[in-house]
Amino acid sequence: MTDNQLRLVWIYPDLLSTYGDQGNALVVERRARQRGLDVARLDVRSDQPIPTSGDIYLIGGGEDRPQRLAAERLRRDGGLHRAVGNGAIVFSVCAGYQILGHEFINDLGQREPGLGLLDVVSTRGEGERCVGDVLGDIDPRLGLPQLTGFENHQGVTHLGPSARPLAQVRLGKGNGTGDGTEGAYNDTVFGTYMHGPVLARNPLIADLLLKLALDVNALPPIDDRWYEALRGERIAAAQQPA
Ligand code: GLN
């Protein structure tokens, strides 16, 4: 972070923003401002270059065709790679998560190269689409409470050796590989299948992104527990028999 300003970049709202994923940018922005940070939020459309000097980049989910277009443009642009090389934090959801991996299956049924920023490969699930509420235990190393989210994807994501699962599902499919893993992360790049938007349901993940970007172990506490009611409601709903 330079000039005491946190630069938040929301990538391609015109292509990738299903299920309210743009809420993730709102939550990070708000929780940063509540800590007194000066935040510059930049929404970058797919015909604009990705700035390389951002601190946190957010990328959402999308339908299969916009996902292919987004992958093509991000590969051609190269800015996100440079930003990660500069130490930026990236948080991605669903289609965005698949794009950050090595490859995924596109809307034409072909193998589409991703950005290779996460050591994952996505294939097309042969079974039913993964749809519904998800509950999971986040990797204990991250010190975060239970994960709650909503998934809707056909893709199945396999983790390579340098990616750690973000969570283990108690309910739902997550990566869809049958091993109970959900999402993936390395030191600075995170991916999840969770919509919701996931950072509104799990604001302490937003705080984790802020801590990583600011390179601090703790943030000033904020008296803001609005999300507990939302979390409680969604966790209870997920546990109702179908
Ligand atoms: N098109 C991808 C899939 O179905 C991602 C869907 C999404 O982002 N919701 O796997």
Side-chain angles (χ1 to χ4, degrees):
M1 205 170 98
T2 52
D3 314 329
N4 283 330
Q5 189 180 58
L6 184 85
R7 282 175 305 253
L8 186 59
V9 182
W10 171 241
I11 296 177
Y12 296 175
D14 53 329
L15 292 179
L16 300 173
S17 183
T18 48
Y19 307 111
D21 290 339
Q22 185 152 11
N24 292 335
L26 296 174
V27 172
V28 177
E29 182 178 0
R30 176 169 166 82
R31 295 183 76 77
R33 287 195 198 283
Q34 285 176 304
R35 270 57 179 251
L37 292 167
D38 177 16
V39 184
R41 177 168 142 211
L42 194 61
D43 293 3
V44 181
R45 292 177 58 87
S46 60
D47 58 353
Q48 297 173 322
I50 303 285
T52 57
S53 59
D55 298 297
I56 301 177
Y57 292 74
L58 298 163
I59 176 165
E63 305 298 325
D64 292 355
R65 185 165 182 277
Q67 176 175 354
R68 170 166 55 88
L69 299 179
E72 283 168 7
R73 289 173 195 188
L74 285 168
R75 284 199 312 269
R76 202 164 52 224
D77 179 274
L80 192 55
H81 256 112
R82 288 197 290 282
V84 170
N86 293 337
I89 308 303
V90 185
F91 184 81
S92 61
V93 176
C94 204
Y97 168 37
Q98 295 178 7
I99 289 172
L100 293 193
H102 300 297
E103 68 175 43
F104 62 90
I105 304 300
N106 67 20
D107 58 318
L108 309 172
Q110 297 160 346
R111 290 165 57 183
E112 180 80 29
L115 302 184
L117 294 171
L118 261 180
D119 187 14
V120 302
V121 170
S122 298
T123 54
R124 237 185 132 63
E126 297 304 324
E128 274 178 35
R129 204 173 165 82
C130 304
V131 184
D133 266 296
V134 177
L135 292 179
D137 298 320
I138 297 185
D139 185 343
R141 288 189 192 193
L142 299 176
L144 292 168
Q146 191 172 27
L147 176 72
T148 152
F150 175 80
E151 64 184 335
N152 184 352
H153 57 103
Q154 188 68 43
V156 166
T157 297
H158 306 265
L159 275 59
S162 55
R164 292 180 61 83
L166 180 64
Q168 290 288 327
V169 294
R170 283 172 179 265
L171 208 106
K173 298 284 194 315
N175 288 324
T177 44
D179 61 1
T181 64
E182 147 46 30
Y185 73 101
N186 59 33
D187 291 342
T188 54
V189 181
F190 294 76
T192 177
Y193 271 113
M194 299 300 96
H195 300 280
V198 64
L199 298 184
R201 286 195 186 199
N202 306 271
L204 297 186
I205 300 181
D207 286 359
L208 171 70
L209 304 178
L210 289 171
K211 284 190 261 185
L212 290 169
L214 299 170
D215 199 14
V216 295
N217 291 325
L219 294 170
I222 44 179
D223 184 17
D224 185 355
R225 310 290 292 182
W226 56 267
Y227 59 84
E228 291 294 1
L230 170 66
R231 281 179 63 79
E233 180 199 296
R234 295 320 309 162
I235 290 169
Q239 287 166 331
Q240 294 293 321

